Amino acid sequence: MPKPIQCIGDNVSLTTVTIISPEAANGRNVAALGVVRALASTQKTGVFRPAVCKKETFTQTLLDAANVGETIEQARGVCPKRARHDKNGSRADIVAAYETTVAAIDTEAMVIVGTDHSCVNDPETFAFNADVAADLQSPVFLAVCTINRTPEQVRETIKACTATVEEHGSAVLGVFVTGADEEQIPDLKAFFADADVPTWVLPKVDFEEDAAEKAAEAFDRNVPASEVHAALEAPFKAPVTPYAFQYGLLGKAKAARKTIVLPEGTEDRIIAAADYLLERDIVDLIIVGDKEAILARGEELGLNSLGKAKFQAMDDETVLAPMVAKLCELRAKKGMTEEQARKQLTDASYFGTMLVVLGKADGLVSGSVNSTANTVRPALQVIKTKPGASLVSGSFLMCFKDHIAVFADCAINLNPNAEQLADIAIQSAETAAAFGLEPKVGMLSYSTLGSGKGPDVDLVEEATDLVRQKAPDLQVVGSVQFDAAWSPTVAATKAKGNDVAGHVNVFVFPDLCAGNIAYKAVQRSSGAVAIGPVLQGLNKPVNDLSRGATVQDIINTVALTAVEAQR
């Protein structure tokens, strides 16, 4: 089994908490400052503001209470205006900025403080803060104001906010009821004494002169630091959002830079993705094509970093001559002549694949304009399968709102027989394990554990038996319908007593038609990010793109290929 690739949260001992509020005012700052001080009393503690205006001053107050020597630039993510107008792009940049800061400072804890109160009313702001908490794999402390609310209304507000946080992938571990008058505090404490999570009551503090001192005194008087620490020790399963996973891929690719060849150098999406990767020094790239023409097109597109790439012309005889000789050697049993080899190498996909064979590149990504067959055929002929691999299959890493799953085969094998289907399942389980998942395999059909009959069901059940024989330690269920594989609730009815049903994270489809339709339907209808296909079973990583791939899809696939090349 390959060594797992930890794509997110390498510093598993880091204590994190995100403080957010539906109002982002009226006491949120008192809670935030108090939590920073409480954690800094026992741990090296940093601060991060995902979306904050450069003109505000509260971040510096938080940094003064922290104790890792962090700069205000390290504490900031994006500006609030950017967050309002480009939430998805902002989330990606926030994750990158946060991970960069954590890597740069010597910290044991991070307090993440959500957006400030704004005169611009954006109804999605609280959900955005909840999304960011999940992206940063952080539990949440809520700050809910009691001004102009009865205790019952505060409780209902907490319930609504908690539901939003959970819906977006994180969890609430504690609540601050803020803005209370001194005479209200005893009654409010009694009202919330039986709350599901620790709930503390804080008095109103005007953030004016001596504000930090007043806030600290009010917090210390009402919230024991030991209770803050205890709340953060509660069980919390960190979500894996698409943004966290994608940034993890980029980070891992950058950590041990590999060289990836891009044969489709005339395609705008390819060179835009290349520019992004080169600007951030994530990989080294060989772009196949005419250097001057590609750079000129990059300039037209406003790209500034393409010059960092190595460009490889296909008529460069210093490369072509040894390539022809090697191809003739590899295809000698097929009777390939030098003339045939040179003709074959006029195909950019073949040419790029031979760069990998000659050791000039560690992997290849193609398919934005070429078919899957054109990408895979050269790899099968000259890179070939790993020892023990009976076939090549294609899986997708499906990044859902708070977790990752593997779908296969969605790219290569039209109608696999039982033996092939079993091998696809085992290969896909290995891919899942390599990316940090404990594989739980579902062999999909229109039948769950014998509920339906027919030759298609028989095929899947035979394949399931073969998986159990070939990989007896692998957790597998089959045949199983998708809903029973996905949902614990459905599994409790359709597959009662089966420990894998309802918890599947490796979904093996019975044929290419089902797999390809399913991944695209899920991707387009649910917003899941599909990374791949990951071509499984090859000696060197060669990965195919959908011809509908976006620039982000290409970036992800190149990074994934670079990470695979490290294994």
Side-chain angles (χ1 to χ4, degrees), residues 146-264:
T146 190
I147 296 174
N148 296 326
R149 289 189 178 119
T150 66
E152 290 78 8
Q153 290 169 335
V154 172
R155 181 176 60 197
E156 291 306 306
T157 303
I158 291 169
K159 285 183 179 179
C161 290
T162 298
T164 297
V165 169
E166 291 176 350
E167 171 66 20
H168 289 255
S170 188
V172 174
L173 299 187
V175 176
F176 295 98
V177 177
T178 65
D181 293 325
E182 288 291 344
E183 61 271 19
Q184 290 179 290
I185 291 177
D187 289 343
L188 286 168
K189 286 183 176 180
F191 184 85
F192 289 105
D194 60 349
D196 293 335
V197 297
T199 302
W200 306 283
V201 182
L202 290 171
K204 283 187 281 191
V205 176
D206 292 327
F207 256 74
E208 296 176 357
E209 188 177 354
D210 299 325
E213 185 177 335
K214 292 176 183 177
E217 188 277 330
F219 189 94
D220 292 347
R221 182 160 31 92
N222 291 281
V223 185
S226 60
E227 292 185 9
V228 174
H229 285 278
L232 293 176
E233 291 173 0
F236 172 67
K237 184 178 180 181
V240 183
T241 70
Y243 297 96
F245 188 79
Q246 290 174 78
Y247 183 80
L249 279 179
L250 296 177
K252 284 297 177 185
K254 186 173 183 175
R257 279 168 58 177
K258 296 294 183 179
T259 299
I260 305 301
V261 60
L262 303 175
E264 300 165 324

Side-chain angles (χ1 to χ4, degrees), residues 253 256-262 282-287 310 355-356 359-365 541 558 561-562 565:
R257 279 168 58 177
K258 296 294 183 179
T259 299
I260 305 301
V261 60
L262 303 175
I282 292 168
V283 292
D284 294 320
L285 293 176
I286 299 175
I287 303 177
K310 179 180 178 182
L355 290 175
V356 178
K360 295 181 180 296
D362 302 298
L364 175 144
V365 171
V558 173
T561 306

